[in-house]
């Protein structure tokens, strides 16, 4: 394994949504250097086939391995659902690979939730990845799932915390599937941006539903793992690089929404 604490952490997503994971990692591990790849040429992943997502993951995984990352994080629920095993095999003993699902599943079991709701892209929901992994650990947990395909493009277009997002969120959360739940998993790396709106929706209805955003839970899991394995960079702050497979001004602008500060995107046409 690459146990060099000074090596970077690699992350990728279909676009810039995974920056919520990058942000959470840097908040918890401020000295790390990140190599982020947003596959903006191919987004959204949510409605692509599993085979196509595995093909994209293979190419991006090779790139991140070539950068000698100590850890690779699949910062996308859709790719985590269908391509994690493949990437873990591919990385072999070169890097530790994390998805954004397992840490959340562990949290559900640890907190002993019995009625769980999951919202995510069509790809994530149709894969049943959360349901299968939760049921494998505790068959008594009821898992209700709902695909919410409007949310990621809505967030990416900047419709957050306004009339349009309130309406769309309300329409989805009022679905019969999600009525009898104790916790709601936001199974898409875009959704931390609407976590407060979702919490406000439940508060207004006087309903107690714990809303779980995957980014912070995954960052905490990675931090624990890195401490246990001596992988934390305790020295000076590392430099991060942010690559995209297709560059547009609008992606560059939107990074601020997801990362809380502006990011210099580097165009890297990996698939040519
Ligand atoms: N960020 C992706 C995820 O977590 C969703 C966006 C997309 O459909 O590409 O699933």
């Amino acid at each position: 394994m690459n146990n060099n604490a000074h090596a970077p952490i690699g992350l990728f997503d279909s676009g810039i949504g995974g920056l919520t994971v990058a942000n959470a990692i840097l908040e918890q591990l401020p000295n790390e250097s990140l190599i982020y790849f947003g596959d903006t040429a191919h987004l959204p992943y949510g409605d692509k086939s599993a085979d196509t997502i595995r093909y994209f993951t293979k190419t991006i995984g090779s790139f991140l391995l070539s950068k000698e990352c100590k850890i690779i994080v699949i910062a996308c629920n859709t790719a985590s659902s269908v391509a994690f095993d493949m990437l873990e095999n591919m990385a072999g003993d070169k890097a530790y690979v994390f998805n954004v699902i397992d840490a959340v599943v562990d949290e559900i079991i640890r907190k002993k939730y019995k009625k769980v709701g999951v919202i995510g892209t069509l790809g994530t929901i149709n894969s049943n990845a959360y349901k299968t992994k939760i049921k494998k650990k505790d068959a008594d947990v009821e898992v209700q799932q709902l695909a919410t395909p409007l949310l990621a493009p809505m967030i990416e277009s900047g419709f957050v915390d306004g009339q349009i997002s309130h309406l769309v969120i309300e329409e989805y959360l009022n679905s019969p599937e999600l009525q009898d739940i104790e916790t709601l998993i936001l199974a898409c790396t875009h959704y931390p941006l609407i976590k407060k709106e979702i919490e406000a929706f439940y508060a207004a209805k006087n309903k107690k539903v714990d809303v779980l955003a995957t980014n912070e839970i995954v960052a905490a899991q990675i931090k624990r793992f890195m401490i246990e394995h001596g992988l934390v960079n305790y020295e000076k702050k590392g430099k991060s690089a942010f690559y995209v497979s297709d560059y547009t001004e609008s992606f560059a602008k939107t990074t601020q929404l997801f990362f809380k500060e502006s990011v210099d995107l580097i165009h890297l046409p990996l698939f040519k």
Side-chain angles (χ1 to χ4, degrees):
M1 273 296 170
N2 180 355
N3 285 317
N4 173 9
H6 300 294
I9 298 175
L11 301 100
F12 75 93
D13 177 49
S14 57
I16 46 189
L19 287 173
T20 58
V21 181
N23 200 60
I25 290 178
L26 283 185
E27 265 172 22
Q28 301 201 30
L29 295 154
N31 290 335
E32 298 303 319
S33 43
L34 307 184
I35 297 183
Y36 182 90
F37 188 87
D39 192 8
T40 46
H42 295 125
L43 71 84
Y45 277 9
D47 55 11
K48 302 273 187 312
S49 72
D51 278 347
T52 298
I53 292 167
R54 280 193 277 268
Y55 162 69
F56 297 153
T57 300
K58 211 169 162 178
T59 306
I60 300 165
S62 300
F63 165 68
L64 294 174
L65 287 171
S66 77
K67 295 280 183 188
E68 299 187 348
C69 295
K70 57 188 172 190
I71 283 176
I72 296 178
V73 187
I74 308 182
C76 169
N77 282 265
T78 315
S80 291
S81 300
V82 298
F84 171 66
D85 293 344
M86 184 217 73
L87 185 59
E88 198 177 42
N89 281 332
M90 187 178 140
D93 60 6
K94 293 195 194 88
Y96 299 99
V97 181
F98 285 80
N99 60 59
V100 285
I101 300 175
D102 289 340
V104 179
V105 169
D106 289 346
E107 183 85 349
I108 296 292
I109 303 299
R110 199 174 62 78
K111 294 219 169 133
K112 299 189 170 55
Y113 291 115
K114 291 293 174 203
K115 293 177 177 190
V116 176
V118 187
I119 55 171
T121 65
L122 280 165
T124 299
I125 298 305
N126 290 342
S127 75
N128 282 318
Y130 278 90
K131 194 170 187 168
T132 311
K133 288 187 179 213
I134 292 171
K135 291 268 186 198
K136 209 170 159 189
K137 295 210 168 181
D138 183 349
D140 291 338
V141 181
E142 281 172 33
V143 183
Q144 302 291 339
Q145 309 185 90
L146 182 72
T148 48
L150 286 181
L151 293 182
M154 176 190 88
I155 295 165
E156 208 149 294
S157 312
F159 289 103
V160 171
D161 210 10
Q163 244 176 335
I164 291 176
S165 57
H166 289 345
L167 275 177
V168 176
I169 288 169
E170 223 175 279
E171 183 72 19
Y172 279 137
L173 298 188
N174 279 330
S175 300
E177 290 91 332
L178 299 177
Q179 292 322 297
D180 188 20
I181 55 173
E182 303 159 322
T183 183
L184 180 69
I185 301 175
L186 307 187
C188 174
T189 50
H190 283 65
Y191 300 177
L193 272 78
I194 52 168
K195 185 176 180 225
K196 285 207 174 82
E197 270 179 87
I198 293 179
E199 285 171 338
F201 166 87
Y202 286 123
K205 288 193 140 200
N206 263 329
K207 263 184 136 179
K208 173 148 178 27
V209 175
D210 295 338
V211 182
L212 302 186
T214 56
N215 60 336
E216 282 157 11
I217 297 173
V218 172
Q221 178 205 36
I222 291 170
K223 182 178 178 178
R224 279 194 302 275
F225 179 90
M226 285 173 59
I227 292 171
E228 274 165 28
H229 290 76
L231 288 170
V232 178
N233 184 8
Y234 288 106
E235 290 174 17
K236 61 179 187 322
K237 187 170 165 47
K239 211 170 144 16
S240 296
F242 299 88
Y243 298 95
V244 283
S245 49
D246 188 27
Y247 181 90
T248 68
E249 284 299 329
S250 103
F251 288 136
K253 257 201 204 140
T254 320
T255 55
Q256 261 189 18
L257 268 178
F258 291 87
F259 198 64
K260 296 186 190 156
E261 61 182 75
S262 81
V263 160
D264 286 330
L265 292 179
I266 305 161
H267 184 207
L268 180 67
L270 254 198
F271 292 87
K272 284 204 178 131

